Amino acid sequence: MKRLEKKHSLAIRWFHWVNFPVLFVMVWSGILIYWANDVYRIGIGSWTLFKFFPPAFYEKFSLAFRLADGMAWHFVFAWIFGINGLLYVLYLLFSGEWRQLFPRRETLREAVQVVLHDLRIRKTPLPRAKFNGAQRIAYTGVILMGFGSLLTGLAIYKPVQTAGILPFLSLSLWGATGYEISRFVHFWLTIGFCGFFLIHVAQVAKAGWNNFRAMITGYEIVPAETESPVESPAATRV
Amino acid sequence: MNPETDPEITPVEAEAPVFQAVADEKNDGEIEAQMRRMSRRSFLWALAASAGTVGGLKWIGSRRADDGIPWPLRRVLDVNGDIARDLFSTARLAPTFPASKAREPRVNGDIGMGEDFDPASWNLNVSGLHSGEDLRLSLAEIKKLPRVEATTELKCIEGWSVIVTWAGAQLADFMAKYPPATQSGNAPDVQKKPDDLVPYVGAQTPDGAYFVGLDREAALHPQTLLCYEMNGKPLTLAHGAPLRLVTPVKYGIKYLKRLGSLEFTARRPEDYWAQRGYDWYSGH
């Protein structure tokens, strides 16, 4: 016997899907900006494993010579990114849904089990929960990353006006100024978002249609005898 | 005996699971149907929202260009500039560094820096003053103002930055000595009533090929200099001798080299890079 279970509230679904194209525009316009001074790489000393980005990459997606374009889109969509993210966090806090998302004491142990399970080392099934330990860490982490992008972005955008309230602007590490550090962190957070996106999409594909559909409709079909992992009254039979 | 024809008879215990399974199947069918209805509705929403998003982005991208970028983006950049201007404080200073950290900045941009220039016959043309008279000032006149030195970070709009020691006269001191026109027409008071001064300053190279606009607050910022020395030496021609703008509260594009004229004005001056898609304000 099956039943429908409410999984994601309407607000969460909107925040999630608004963020998708906005983050895409932010990353795309960010690359247009980055192109004008593309100094980051993975490597040691004079040895470079990978340069961000190879000329063919810019060429293929017409990302070169578009600094002004990039800045314009970036500083318009940053508003939507920031406001949507802020509303999302406020919603999490006031609705109590943060309880299912933020890490708990047992989260790290759980997350290790999830990783072992995904790597096929652990054979037994995972306990049923809206978000497992690995998801709690990943989703809370990506909120912190978003916050980091917002702060380092603001630091790069208005380095003089915000120097008094963003202490990392006064840092100096290995000859780099706080402004340069902000730009460095801003870049790597963006690479982090892209990594998150790839793993996220792979995991969603693996979890299957029922799970994905829940991010559109809000509901998931579950076996009737399973206990609802969600302690909200909305998680009743429909 | 048939339970359907004889209501007196109830199904025996042993038969119950069969009926339960039929009921479950019927219920599961209902659940699936309900899910399909909800999915149809939600996915239509999703389709409309996706189409709206793609259409909206394409609409923005295809609008008439206003100084090099689609006008909706230009409008928001201008609003961003207005908000930044309202929140700006001349009391907030750009971080300063020990002079030992200063480096030679790269020569980036030669617009307005043509060969046919004689620094010996150079003068600074100043207009838009309260006196109503235009001025032609020599470098010696500028150097009569107090010399101010600061080691700050030059931030290029391309993304790189470099620490440089600049020395020269504060533009604020210059404006106190040669006061700009006021909006009210009353006598200017640069220190006490800066808001009454005309809101903009335009700067140009002698040939007019490169030009920038500054808002009044940026012009009055204590780190904004009419600069004649870089890293302890007189400016070289490549770096804008005899006089250049140094504006640590703006991107490097506003650090105009080879300053030929200053105009205090009520109208927002044209700006070379703002005409080519960049933010007019470009402030930090």
Side-chain angles (χ1 to χ4, degrees):
Chain A
M1 196 166 158
K2 299 169 180 173
R3 64 192 180 84
L4 291 181
E5 184 177 277
K6 178 91 183 190
K7 194 173 184 190
H8 303 296
S9 62
L10 182 65
I12 290 290
R13 282 176 280 145
W14 271 105
F15 292 137
H16 175 272
W17 289 114
V18 166
N19 197 54
F20 174 62
V22 171
L23 193 57
F24 175 81
V25 171
M26 291 307 282
V27 172
W28 165 74
S29 57
I31 297 171
L32 298 185
I33 297 170
Y34 172 74
W35 168 87
N37 184 40
D38 59 342
V39 289
Y40 303 131
R41 67 194 177 109
I42 299 173
I44 301 166
S46 61
W47 175 76
T48 298
L49 175 67
F50 186 80
K51 179 180 185 291
F52 295 95
F53 292 96
F57 171 75
Y58 295 122
E59 206 172 303
K60 177 139 180 43
F61 300 102
S62 35
L63 301 164
F65 300 100
R66 298 182 66 183
L67 171 61
D69 243 2
M71 293 183 87
W73 286 92
H74 211 68
F75 298 140
V76 172
F77 278 74
W79 284 108
I80 311 176
F81 177 75
I83 291 168
N84 188 57
L86 193 71
L87 290 177
Y88 168 64
V89 170
L90 288 176
Y91 174 83
L92 278 183
L93 295 179
F94 285 100
S95 69
E97 285 188 34
W98 61 270
R99 289 189 186 86
Q100 287 140 36
L101 199 74
F102 291 179
R104 298 177 295 182
R105 198 176 305 147
E106 55 272 31
T107 291
L108 195 60
R109 190 163 38 81
E110 250 178 66
V112 172
Q113 296 301 315
V114 173
V115 172
L116 293 178
H117 176 86
D118 286 355
L119 295 174
R120 316 270 161 112
I121 295 168
R122 181 191 144 122
K123 302 292 182 197
T124 46
L126 295 165
R128 206 176 112 75
K130 183 172 178 181
F131 294 125
N132 64 41
Q135 285 174 304
R136 281 176 186 263
I137 290 174
Y139 294 152
T140 304
V142 87
I143 295 174
L144 293 176
M145 282 164 62
F147 194 58
S149 289
L150 212 55
L151 289 187
T152 51
L154 192 64
I156 303 166
Y157 184 48
K158 300 287 168 202
V160 176
Q161 300 304 306
T162 60
I165 52 171
L166 299 175
F168 55 84
L169 271 172
S170 310
L171 281 177
S172 177
L173 291 173
W174 303 291
T177 62
Y179 177 75
E180 289 167 327
I181 293 166
S182 304
R183 192 174 184 269
F184 179 83
V185 173
H186 199 71
F187 174 82
W188 284 104
L189 283 171
T190 308
I191 297 299
F193 282 121
C194 297
F196 173 91
F197 176 78
L198 292 179
I199 295 171
H200 184 55
V201 169
Q203 293 282 15
V204 167
K206 196 176 128 224
W209 177 246
N210 196 29
N211 173 71
F212 174 74
R213 185 177 52 192
M215 202 62 216
I216 311 274
T217 64
Y219 289 91
E220 200 169 25
I221 295 179
V222 296
E225 53 273 17
T226 51
E227 279 293 306
S228 165
V230 183
E231 302 97 45
S232 83
T236 50
R237 200 166 153 171
V238 182
Chain B
M1 285 192 283
N2 189 337
E4 278 177 33
T5 52
D6 190 349
E8 301 271 310
I9 299 164
T10 52
V12 290
E13 286 284 299
E15 284 171 311
V18 180
F19 285 99
Q20 189 58 50
V22 173
D24 282 0
E25 218 164 86
K26 201 171 156 220
N27 174 287
D28 284 359
E30 265 171 36
I31 293 288
E32 295 281 358
Q34 204 175 355
M35 189 74 225
R36 270 197 299 278
R37 277 196 301 278
M38 287 198 316
S39 298
R40 198 178 309 131
R41 197 172 56 220
S42 295
F43 276 89
L44 281 174
W45 258 105
L47 195 70
S50 308
T53 303
V54 172
L57 291 175
K58 285 200 163 159
W59 182 85
I60 295 173
S62 60
R63 286 314 85 196
R64 172 175 50 81
D66 181 356
D67 282 343
I69 49 171
W71 66 258
L73 300 180
R74 175 64 70 191
R75 294 287 179 284
V76 179
L77 288 194
D78 285 344
V79 170
N80 287 351
D82 283 340
I83 294 171
R85 229 186 137 173
D86 286 352
L87 296 174
F88 183 87
S89 164
T90 48
R92 291 187 209 117
L93 300 179
T96 53
F97 302 84
S100 60
K101 300 239 171 173
R103 298 283 174 274
E104 175 96 359
R106 84 170 77 145
V107 178
N108 211 42
D110 52 8
I111 306 141
M113 303 287 284
E115 299 286 318
D116 51 341
F117 174 70
D118 176 19
S121 62
W122 173 91
N123 278 300
L124 177 64
N125 295 303
V126 189
S127 59
L129 298 173
H130 178 67
S131 65
E133 274 176 50
D134 294 352
L135 296 175
R136 281 174 69 82
L137 300 173
S138 66
L139 190 59
E141 291 294 323
I142 307 293
K143 285 187 171 174
K144 280 181 191 163
L145 292 160
R147 179 182 174 279
V148 172
E149 187 176 289
T151 305
T152 51
E153 192 173 15
L154 164 66
K155 285 153 284 189
C156 178
I157 201 158
E158 293 170 352
W160 52 270
S161 56
V162 55
I163 297 171
V164 185
T165 302
W166 308 102
Q170 286 181 331
L171 183 52
D173 279 345
F174 178 90
M175 287 163 70
K177 186 170 177 185
Y178 306 102
T182 57
Q183 302 182 75
S184 64
N186 296 336
D189 188 336
V190 174
Q191 265 93 36
K192 291 200 186 92
K193 281 192 223 155
D195 291 353
D196 191 29
L197 303 176
V198 287
Y200 296 105
V201 188
Q204 292 197 1
T205 53
D207 62 4
Y210 194 69
F211 42 92
V212 301
L214 291 179
D215 49 281
R216 174 186 55 216
E217 296 77 33
L220 288 171
H221 190 276
Q223 290 171 316
T224 299
L225 303 179
L226 297 172
C227 165
Y228 42 76
E229 280 175 33
M230 186 181 87
N231 291 341
K233 295 187 188 108
L235 272 183
T236 59
L237 268 180
H239 286 291
L243 195 67
R244 74 177 294 174
L245 278 179
V246 164
T247 56
V249 293
K250 299 284 182 191
Y251 275 120
I253 47 172
K254 303 269 191 188
Y255 286 56
L256 181 135
K257 292 183 279 199
R258 196 183 287 177
L259 179 62
S261 68
L262 280 179
E263 184 193 12
F264 299 98
T265 169
R267 277 190 47 217
R268 193 173 84 167
E270 292 295 335
D271 187 283
Y272 182 88
W273 287 110
Q275 287 178 345
R276 287 158 180 80
Y278 291 87
D279 178 24
W280 187 92
Y281 187 76
S282 286
H284 289 152

